[in-house]
Amino acid sequence: KTARRSEDAAAARRRNRKRANRTVRENPVRQKEPLPEVVYLPPKQFNRNRFLLHLVTLVAVVLALTFAFSIFFKVKTITVSGTVRYDVWTVREASGIQEGEGLLSFGSAKAAGKIRTLLPYVKEVQIGIKLPDTVIIYIEEIDVAYAIQDQDGIWWLMTSEGRIVEQSDSASAQNYTKILGVVLNSPKVNDQAIAMEDIPVQTGEATEETDATVPVTVTGAQRLSAALQILQALEANDIVGEAASVDVSSINSIELWYGKRYQVDLGDTSRMEYKIACMNAVILKLSDYQTGKLDISFTTWADQVGYTPFA
């Protein structure tokens, strides 16, 4: 029995060794690859001669191209588009661009500035070139202007941004929306409008501590700013030419006449674009024969528009 047990143990050890050898053959141990060594190289020396050669070559190429454009590409044709008030020849003369100039040397920014200075109804100017010999001028003109008086009673036409575009007369001023309650101080064409400050308007505001009314001076600049805000709101709501007048004598009770049909109380200058939108929406709902007063101040009714027909 003892001998048999020894033989069985020896056989078991032989089987274990065989199994271990088979496992090693099937799953060999992977050796880590060695990391590459770092090789330190000295920095390359700056080659000044090569740099100068490249620089000279680049400058030579630029000069050659500029010379070629100045010699072979000259202005022969000037086209103008987008203008209605001014003819093509007027725009060309205002730009200062002459035939025979270098196509790249006439100065597009300078030419655009000349056009805007000499032609006040021009709003935007874009100037481009088309090889080999054409300059293209695109004009965007002012769509609408408004009438306002100066300190001498002379009427002027002004944009909604406050730029003076033309002197007018009382007859022509009837065709434009009139700005009342503010007068201009010595206006000049193409200058920004400046309001007179000689006759300040007094308003009253109650203090929080007491019910006493403290006089507050409203300057002409504030009334002019309020008027421009209303004009821009009219344009934003696509109501151009419908308003007969805007009265900013009191910026806390601004009055607008929509043609001869509606007297509109706009209140103060707050939420002006929204008020103009409400005015337009209400008028579109009313019949063509209706006339009256619209209260869009949102003081009597916080979220409603009041309508009172004329007697």
Side-chain angles (χ1 to χ4, degrees):
K1 292 181 178 178
T2 302
R4 188 175 299 170
R5 291 195 189 104
S6 299
E7 291 177 359
D8 293 340
R13 286 194 297 271
R14 286 195 297 271
R15 285 195 299 273
N16 290 336
R17 283 196 298 269
K18 290 181 179 180
R19 189 179 297 112
N21 292 334
R22 187 165 50 253
T23 303
V24 170
R25 287 196 299 270
E26 293 177 354
N27 301 300
V29 177
R30 294 184 180 180
Q31 298 294 331
K32 293 184 178 179
E33 295 182 4
L35 295 176
E37 296 182 359
V38 178
V39 179
Y40 291 94
L41 300 175
K44 292 184 179 180
Q45 294 183 352
F46 175 70
N47 193 327
R48 183 179 180 183
N49 293 332
R50 181 176 296 177
F51 172 76
L52 291 177
L53 178 62
H54 287 312
L55 182 61
V56 170
T57 303
L58 179 61
V59 172
V61 170
V62 172
L63 291 177
L65 290 175
T66 304
F67 179 76
F69 271 100
S70 62
I71 295 297
F72 300 106
F73 297 97
K74 293 183 178 295
V75 178
K76 291 184 179 180
T77 305
I78 303 174
T79 63
V80 179
S81 61
T83 179
V84 177
R85 185 175 294 272
Y86 304 109
D87 56 43
V88 174
W89 182 254
T90 301
V91 176
R92 290 182 55 176
E93 287 294 303
S95 70
I97 302 173
Q98 301 294 329
E99 294 183 4
E101 284 190 79
L103 196 62
L104 298 181
S105 61
F106 64 84
S108 58
K110 184 178 180 181
K114 287 182 177 180
I115 293 174
R116 290 202 60 183
T117 301
L118 298 176
L119 307 178
Y121 275 95
V122 173
K123 184 178 181 180
E124 295 291 340
V125 184
Q126 294 180 359
I127 299 179
I129 61 173
K130 182 179 179 181
L131 296 177
D133 54 13
T134 303
V135 175
I136 303 172
I137 302 176
Y138 175 75
I139 299 293
E140 181 182 353
E141 295 181 345
I142 295 170
D143 295 329
V144 63
Y146 307 88
I148 187 170
Q149 285 183 304
D150 64 7
Q151 72 276 12
D152 298 322
I154 299 175
W155 287 97
W156 297 80
L157 300 183
M158 177 184 69
T159 69
S160 60
E161 286 79 26
R163 185 159 66 98
I164 305 299
V165 294
E166 186 180 353
Q167 183 177 334
S168 184
D169 52 44
S170 57
S172 299
Q174 304 300 323
N175 301 320
Y176 299 89
T177 300
K178 292 184 177 180
I179 309 302
L180 308 176
V182 59
V183 296
L184 300 183
N185 184 9
S186 303
K188 295 180 180 179
V189 173
N190 241 336
D191 283 357
Q192 196 68 17
I194 301 176
M196 286 286 295
E197 302 290 354
D198 293 343
I199 309 176
V201 175
Q202 300 290 332
T203 63
E205 291 185 359
T207 62
E208 295 181 357
E209 298 179 356
T210 64
D211 293 334
T213 300
V214 180
V216 177
T217 300
V218 179
T219 65
Q222 289 174 313
R223 297 197 303 276
L224 178 59
S225 177
L228 296 179
Q229 182 181 350
I230 297 168
L231 301 182
Q232 292 169 12
L234 289 171
E235 294 178 1
N237 285 277
D238 199 20
I239 310 175
V240 177
E242 300 295 340
S245 64
V246 175
D247 192 344
V248 292
S249 299
S250 173
I251 60 174
N252 291 322
S253 182
I254 299 171
E255 183 179 276
L256 180 147
W257 272 91
Y258 188 93
K260 296 181 179 180
R261 295 174 56 198
Y262 299 104
Q263 180 186 1
V264 184
D265 181 10
L266 295 173
D268 58 20
T269 57
S270 63
R271 306 167 65 192
M272 187 53 66
E273 189 169 335
Y274 175 70
K275 291 177 180 178
I276 297 298
C278 291
M279 177 193 75
N280 190 39
V282 170
I283 292 176
L284 290 176
K285 291 180 180 179
L286 296 173
S287 301
D288 294 339
Y289 62 85
Q290 290 180 292
T291 60
K293 183 175 181 178
L294 299 177
D295 185 352
I296 316 180
S297 62
F298 298 129
T299 54
T300 305
W301 302 281
D303 56 353
Q304 293 179 317
V305 176
Y307 169 60
T308 304
F310 290 144

